Amino acid sequence: MDSHSVSHMNSTISGNNDNNTAAALMIIGSSSTTTSPPTPSSAGAATSSSSRYENQKRRDWNTFGQYLKNHRPPLSLSRCSGAHVLEFLRYLDQFGKTKVHTPICPFYGHPNPPAPCPCPLRQAWGSLDALIGRLRAAFEENGGKPEANPFGARAVRLYLREVRDVQSKARGISYEKKKRKRPPQQQQQQQQQIPLLPPASSAS
């Protein structure tokens, strides 16, 4: 991040930075995937997972509201734009724990670097992507209109895509979802269910 961006971020973050810091750590600390103990039934596991998601979404929403309140000048939710969401995401980077190698680093593109390096720590793309998904849902659940949702702004989508691409190259990790292969029997059944189209007629 260049010096201009740092000075701009410092001017917008409130003097009451301790509240923002604690709240941000709550967001990021809870965003990581944890292994849940086995439950007696799949229905119970689904309910537990849903409950955790709802609790995390509520915490994220309250934290973003606190961030807006501590913003200088203070911002109301109705005036919040995609630019403010980007500012929030960049602010969270200071609490990141993911090493993102710079192009001049000898470990650039290495998924398992053999030694430490001075490259910066950032928020992982997956954490930011999940966070935006929860805040986008919370905005509409709290009365916001979908067409005015700042978390769904094009600038936010482009930023997340850029973060994904940069981190993928820097860390040597592919974020592309792998397509699940269907069993051969299932593929054969699906092929039989799809009717073959007759050959196109040469007449126009």
Side-chain angles (χ1 to χ4, degrees), residues 169-187:
K169 294 177 182 178
R171 302 177 61 205
I173 297 175
S174 175
Y175 290 116
E176 297 297 330
K177 293 183 178 179
K178 296 181 179 179
K179 294 183 179 179
R180 295 179 59 186
K181 294 183 178 180
R182 297 188 182 95
Q185 184 178 0
Q186 185 178 356
Q187 288 183 344

Side-chain angles (χ1 to χ4, degrees), residues 56 59 87-88 127 141 188 199 203:
Q56 182 63 53
R59 286 194 295 267
E87 185 180 278
F88 177 62
S127 296
E141 290 172 3
Q188 184 178 3

Side-chain angles (χ1 to χ4, degrees), residues 6-121:
V6 171
S7 60
H8 172 70
M9 183 175 296
N10 289 338
S11 65
T12 56
I13 296 176
S14 136
N16 187 11
N17 197 38
D18 290 342
N19 290 339
N20 272 344
T21 300
L25 290 175
M26 181 181 294
I27 283 183
I28 302 306
S30 302
S31 295
S32 58
T33 303
T34 57
T35 303
S36 303
T39 52
S41 66
S42 58
T47 302
S48 176
S49 177
S50 175
S51 176
R52 287 197 302 270
Y53 172 81
E54 292 300 325
N55 290 338
Q56 182 63 53
K57 181 170 60 176
R58 183 167 56 252
R59 286 194 295 267
D60 294 343
W61 182 248
N62 291 338
T63 300
F64 185 74
Q66 187 67 36
Y67 177 82
L68 294 181
K69 187 182 299 183
N70 292 336
H71 194 279
R72 290 293 178 268
L75 280 170
S76 63
L77 186 61
S78 60
R79 296 181 58 189
C80 179
S81 67
H84 297 117
V85 175
L86 294 183
E87 185 180 278
F88 177 62
L89 295 180
R90 294 187 179 106
Y91 162 73
L92 292 178
D93 259 339
Q94 64 185 299
F95 309 107
K97 298 180 181 179
T98 298
K99 179 79 71 172
V100 179
H101 303 289
T102 61
I104 61 174
C105 177
F107 304 135
Y108 183 80
H110 287 248
N112 298 304
C117 67
C119 291
L121 296 175

